[in-house]
Amino acid sequence: GFDRFLAWRSIDGETISKTNQLETIIKGLLNKKTIIDFIKSFPVFQKSKYEDEKTKQIFITLDKKIAAYHQYYAVNKAIETTKKAISDKTRKAGVIWHTQGSGKSLTMVYYAGKIIQHLNNPTIVVLTDRNDLDDQLFETFSQSKDLLRQEPKKAENREHLKELLKRNSGGIIFTTIQKFLPEEGNTFETLSERENIIVIVDEAHRTQYGFKAKIDKKTGETTYGYAKYIRDALPNATFIAFTGTPIEKEDKNTPAVFGDYIDIYDISQSIEDKMTVPIYYESRLIKVSLTEEGKQLIKEFEEELEEVGLELVEQSDKTKRLEQILGAEDRLNQLAKDIVEHFEKRQEVFEGKAMIVALSRPIAAKLYQKIIQLRPDWHSDDLTKGKIKVVYTSSSSDGPEVAKHHTTKEQRKLLQKRMKDPNDELKLVIVVDMWLTGFDVPCLHTMYIDKPMKGHTLMQAIARVNRVYKDKPGGLIVDYHGIATDLKEALSFYSKSGGRGDPAIIQEKAVDLMIDKYEIVSNMLHGFNYKEYFTTSDTRKKLDILRDAVEYVLGLEDGKNRFIKHTAELSKAFALAIPHEKALEIKEHVAFFQAVKSRILKLTSTGGNTDRTSKANYEIETTIKQILDKALISEQVIDIFEIAGIKKPEISILSEEFLLEIKNMQHKNIAIELLKRIINDKIKIITKRSYVKSKSLLELYEEIIKKYQNKILTAAQVIEELLNLAREIREINKEPEQMGLTEYEYAFYTAVADNKSALELMGKEKLRELATVLFQEVRKNATIDWTIRENVKAKLRVTVKRILRKYGYPPDMQELATETVIKQAEMIAQEIADMEAEVAS
């Protein structure tokens, strides 16, 4: 998709180039050393399966993914720091901090693939601190086994891990860090003393620390953190960490365990590169009276959640008391109602998916019931159906209401697949702790948070909505719990760590941006009264107002480009601001502007790859859909002749009646755009066949448009010039039949008749015969891709010259005619080959 084609923005990996992209990519990527390195180590081919819903057939797709510039440079820096860490025996290669959504998993794959080459097949151990992270990262590595030159293995339990690590070299082993917890005592057995073991750690935070002993005040028991146990097992391994969030403020642990930052790719740079979209924050607190005890409970919950994880926290009395506050019936009723209304308004503007983060499993189950009471059609007992699901694991001891939402690993895979599919009806999921890290759903645009979260846990969670998807303008975090302070704190240590850009932008900024863009667009229509559009119920009148608006915009100085640009920007800002009351106030106006923009695009687009509006067309197909007067705005029903206000004619012959109707149109700017569109399309058809005629017609067309743009011609004059050009095209279309030639033969006739002296000397009939012979000669070679085979092309050139001499073509013009014939042959070679294949079949 277009959203994944990105610029190469650095020559040296240190400085970001702000200008001259061509020079940057030539010097940065296309120099001999870099491009050879890139081709060798930085593409991956990933297979994925999908099932056709109708036939139930399984299809396998193959995606080729290449590194972005920040991934390429980070990996090469990491290779050097790793080699240095081994030679210096520090065993600390460093930390790569690349913000969530910027391709961290693939960066790890590229690093593993390249370090395997540099260290002569070391053992790679990939460490995560959660099973779901382990699964997702393992899948990414498994899909990249061609680059890695081996099949990754997953440690299923502690004994399996020991077995996998007792080897002499090679291997890519996945494990969760918890498998290094010793069964008894305070040491883990040594599994390998080799130096060519690289430990890649995903998310370098608290679970990776702990060299010093901790003494339990109550029991007096001494324990250590995982850092010690891993080094007991692999004393000479070298460690490198990849993280999407910065090292916590004043944290001395991560540098002590892994070393300093190798490379930083922050939010600001990621958004600038269009690797991720910005995240906006909206506060929608549900009123609940909190006692001091309640506030203290929330604080203790947050601290324990960071230390021991959800499963153990949920078992504590603190959580049960907190559940009574946040899970009160009245509060959950309000919460469910607000989420449903908010989400439906979001869907009207930009269709996508959303996630609700609940405090606990019991609250998640209750909230589900409240929502389906409001929207019964969203529910289904079938995992493959339904618009809303709950995702967690539970046990029978949790009680029937909680346990009925329990999902197995396979069931979660099915739900993941449904959630990632933008066309699947599953639009909303309620989670507790699953899917908050490492789970990528590009079309996820909103996250509703009703749970205490802080630090890197909060940063990782909110990043679920920052993935690029078509024209998604940004992600939205809706806060029902009051995490604003924690977000500010997260921003504080993010900034202190050297990161630029906001983890979350207050939604009011999006509203302010929307108002600014709205004023720009409405000011462009100053002097044109479009307000009647909103009061009339007459469809014909509405269409007339839309057509008059198009005429008005096209009559402004650079009106078309300015209106398209600013309306697109307004639409994106509007999507971010909805359902804010200020956005709802201008909803109808935004819809009107989009309708005018759609008609301008439809009228003026030529559909070519070089067309300046082709990107805008792509956006209009995939961006915000507003629901005012769908029948008038829908892309499917807009016709360029409807916009112009005339009946759709049979334009293949460009009849005089049709051209006269255009000439007499009241809306002169629309008439010009309509003629430009028709003539452009006609020239394109001729371009496919006739090199000479298309070249001369294109020159004439461009000269007319240039005169109009430079105000040498008035609107009436340019219409007359374009009408004359249309008549010339009409006559050209008649010529092949009049001469008794096919369109292919006529194309070669124009190539040899382009020279006046040849036409005078030889006459039409002899040139006609010559053209037929030349076409037959090209036709013989149609099955060979001679457009890229120089020897075949050279042979054809000799043959053309021989035929020209044989027919008495003027000697002084033979060289030029030969080149013209070759260009003509190149232009239609594929079409002739297809024609030959069709005849043969």
Side-chain angles (χ1 to χ4, degrees), residues 519-667:
E519 287 177 356
I520 291 170
V521 178
S522 56
N523 284 339
M524 282 191 73
L525 289 174
H526 179 70
F528 175 77
N529 182 18
Y530 62 89
K531 304 293 171 66
E532 192 181 349
Y533 183 93
F534 308 115
T535 57
T536 183
S537 57
D538 184 347
T539 301
R540 185 71 256 168
K541 181 67 176 172
K542 284 178 179 285
L543 286 168
D544 288 344
I545 294 170
L546 281 168
R547 183 164 58 250
D548 291 345
V550 171
E551 171 74 10
Y552 187 85
V553 169
L554 293 174
L556 299 172
E557 183 75 31
D558 195 29
K560 181 185 85 170
N561 292 328
R562 287 193 296 126
F563 191 85
I564 288 169
K565 175 179 178 288
H566 294 310
T567 303
E569 289 171 351
L570 168 60
S571 297
K572 289 189 175 186
F574 177 75
L576 291 168
I578 204 77
H580 194 281
E581 58 183 19
K582 288 185 179 177
L584 295 174
E585 284 172 11
I586 63 168
K587 183 172 87 169
E588 290 186 346
H589 290 247
V590 175
F592 178 81
F593 299 150
Q594 288 175 337
V596 175
K597 177 192 167 192
S598 295
R599 279 157 169 70
I600 292 172
L601 282 170
K602 194 79 174 179
L603 182 66
T604 61
S605 170
T606 60
N609 290 333
T610 57
D611 181 14
R612 290 172 67 187
T613 64
S614 60
K615 174 65 177 167
N617 269 326
Y618 171 72
E619 288 175 354
I620 204 71
E621 288 167 7
T622 57
T623 193
I624 305 142
K625 55 184 188 63
Q626 180 58 39
I627 56 168
L628 177 71
D629 291 329
K630 280 187 177 177
L632 300 182
I633 296 170
S634 168
E635 289 292 301
Q636 285 74 16
V637 300
I638 296 176
D639 182 274
I640 60 169
F641 302 104
E642 174 198 310
I643 299 167
I646 59 179
K647 291 178 182 177
K648 187 172 182 178
E650 172 53 59
I651 62 166
S652 60
I653 56 171
L654 290 171
S655 69
E656 197 59 38
E657 292 79 11
F658 170 58
L659 297 179
L660 190 61
E661 189 174 359
I662 293 180
K663 184 178 181 179
N664 294 328
M665 276 177 61
Q666 177 188 346
H667 302 88

Side-chain angles (χ1 to χ4, degrees), residues 25 197 256 288 391 419 515 604 610 623 681 690 726 740 761:
I25 196 169
I197 295 176
V288 58
V391 180
M419 195 64 180
I515 296 300
T604 61
T610 57
T623 193
D681 288 347
S690 176
L761 181 67

Side-chain angles (χ1 to χ4, degrees), residues 293-306:
E293 182 195 10
K295 292 174 184 175
Q296 184 61 29
L297 276 174
I298 290 174
K299 186 179 179 184
E300 290 173 7
F301 178 92
E302 290 173 340
E303 289 171 355
E304 283 195 29
L305 189 65
E306 287 282 296

Side-chain angles (χ1 to χ4, degrees), residues 290-351:
L290 271 182
T291 61
E292 286 304 314
E293 182 195 10
K295 292 174 184 175
Q296 184 61 29
L297 276 174
I298 290 174
K299 186 179 179 184
E300 290 173 7
F301 178 92
E302 290 173 340
E303 289 171 355
E304 283 195 29
L305 189 65
E306 287 282 296
E307 290 289 342
V308 301
L310 178 79
E311 198 167 331
L312 293 176
V313 170
E314 279 194 344
Q315 296 169 12
S316 71
D317 290 334
K318 293 187 187 80
T319 304
K320 289 180 173 58
R321 281 183 285 157
L322 190 56
E323 273 181 15
Q324 290 172 359
I325 298 170
L326 299 183
E329 285 292 313
D330 184 52
R331 184 179 184 278
L332 286 186
N333 285 332
Q334 289 183 60
L335 181 65
K337 184 174 182 291
D338 197 71
I339 287 175
V340 167
E341 291 176 356
H342 187 281
F343 181 62
E344 286 180 333
K345 285 174 182 172
R346 295 275 293 160
Q347 290 296 86
E348 287 177 0
V349 172
F350 186 75
E351 193 167 344

Side-chain angles (χ1 to χ4, degrees), residues 402-415:
V402 174
K404 71 180 181 182
H405 292 293
H406 168 76
T407 50
T408 64
K409 189 174 181 179
E410 287 306 310
Q411 287 172 330
R412 288 195 299 279
K413 277 188 177 179
L414 171 62
L415 291 176

Side-chain angles (χ1 to χ4, degrees), residues 8-76:
W8 191 275
R9 298 191 59 225
S10 182
I11 292 172
D12 56 8
E14 299 295 333
T15 310
I16 302 301
S17 175
K18 299 290 184 184
T19 57
N20 203 335
Q21 284 190 7
L22 188 60
E23 182 182 8
T24 304
I25 196 169
I26 289 170
K27 290 183 177 178
L29 175 61
L30 301 180
N31 65 79
K32 187 187 291 186
K33 181 182 177 184
T34 305
I35 194 65
I36 290 172
D37 180 31
F38 193 89
I39 291 169
K40 184 179 179 184
S41 302
F42 291 89
V44 295
F45 294 87
Q46 297 186 336
K47 290 179 182 177
S48 55
K49 293 180 182 179
Y50 75 94
E51 183 179 350
D52 186 271
E53 289 182 6
K54 291 181 180 178
T55 65
K56 300 301 178 185
Q57 282 183 289
I58 301 293
F59 291 92
I60 296 176
T61 61
L62 184 66
D63 293 332
K64 177 183 180 182
K65 298 178 182 178
I66 58 174
Y69 75 94
H70 69 280
Q71 293 171 308
Y72 174 80
Y73 290 121
V75 166
N76 280 335

